[in-house]
Each structure stands twice: as C-alpha cells, then as structure tokens.
C-alpha cells in the first residue's frame, strides 16, 4: 500500500515563501516514512491541489492525507479547502482522501510555538 501526504498552503509570488513547506516535505521523506509527499497550493503557485491529487492517484497511491499548513483557520481553511477536497473526492471516488485539521489547530504545534517565543 502506498500512502500520500499533500502539504497544502496558500501560495505566494515570493519564491522564498514556500521554502519552509518544502523543508517539511524533505523532513518527512528523510524520516523514512513509506509515504509519497507533495506540496500543493491554493493560489499563485503550482501545483494546485486537484493537480497534485490527480498525479498521486495516477502514480498508484492508495490513500491521500491533505494537511493544511495554515496557522490561522480563516475562510480558506474553513470553506475553500473543504470544497476543493470534495471535488477531488468526486473525481477520484476509489481513492480515500482525508482532510486533516490545519496545523495551527494542533495543540502540539501551539506548545512548540509558545516554547519558541519564551526562549
């Protein structure tokens, strides 16, 4: 079985904006997890989520987890992303696509950020 993770971000015209997200993807790959990893974007960068998911399905993955890389949970995370994921589910009905909560909702990340701020 091949699983996939799609790290999903907003996107930016600034080419350096995505470097931390790409670094997270590299760290996942280097960690030895048997998982395909891709980055995808809502706007201004490629690939978009639908393209990344289609490429993964065509590569033969069995399941996909979408991880929104948002600290804040605004309109994109609450409304736009779930609609895009639902369209992807309809386009690929035999591949389970799981939408995780935004990373900013994870208490472990919040604890880490608080610790960084205190240091």
């Amino acid at each position: 079985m091949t699983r996939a993770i799609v790290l999903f971000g907003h996107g930016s015209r600034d080419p350096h904006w995505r470097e931390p997200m790409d670094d997270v993807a590299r760290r996942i790959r280097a960690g030895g997890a048997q998982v395909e990893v891709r980055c995808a974007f809502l706007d201004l960068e490629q690939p978009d989520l639908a393209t990344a998911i289609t490429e993964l399905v065509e590569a033969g993955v069995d399941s996909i987890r979408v991880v929104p890389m948002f600290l804040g949970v605004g309109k994109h995370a609450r409304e736009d992303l779930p609609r895009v994921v639902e369209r992807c589910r309809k386009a690929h009905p035999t591949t389970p696509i799981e939408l995780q909560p935004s990373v900013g909702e994870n208490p472990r990340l919040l604890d880490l950020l608080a610790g960084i701020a205190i240091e």
Side-chain angles (χ1 to χ4, degrees):
M1 176 168 90
T2 305
R3 297 179 307 125
I5 296 172
V6 178
L7 303 175
F8 182 78
H10 187 278
S12 172
R13 287 182 181 87
D14 183 340
H16 298 289
W17 173 89
R18 69 177 284 164
E19 290 172 0
M21 226 167 88
D22 289 335
D23 192 40
V24 171
R26 279 191 292 278
R27 290 169 187 245
I28 292 169
R29 289 182 194 108
Q34 298 298 313
V35 63
E36 293 289 325
V37 183
R38 298 281 192 286
C39 295
F41 306 94
L42 178 66
D43 205 10
L44 304 171
E45 293 198 46
Q46 294 298 319
D48 64 11
L49 185 61
T51 300
I53 286 176
T54 297
E55 289 172 355
L56 289 165
V57 170
E58 289 174 353
V61 301
D62 297 316
S63 64
I64 300 169
R65 173 180 293 155
V66 177
V67 180
M69 302 294 283
F70 297 115
L71 288 179
V73 185
K75 182 179 182 288
H76 292 314
R78 283 190 329 269
E79 297 176 18
D80 300 333
L81 180 55
R83 280 194 291 265
V84 173
V85 168
E86 189 55 36
R87 285 194 300 267
C88 291
R89 287 176 176 146
K90 288 178 182 175
H92 307 286
T94 61
T95 304
I97 301 171
E98 172 191 5
L99 177 57
Q100 292 285 107
S102 294
V103 295
E105 297 178 83
N106 188 311
R108 292 177 296 166
L109 178 62
L110 299 176
D111 289 342
L112 177 64
L113 292 173
I116 291 169
I118 291 168
E119 289 178 356

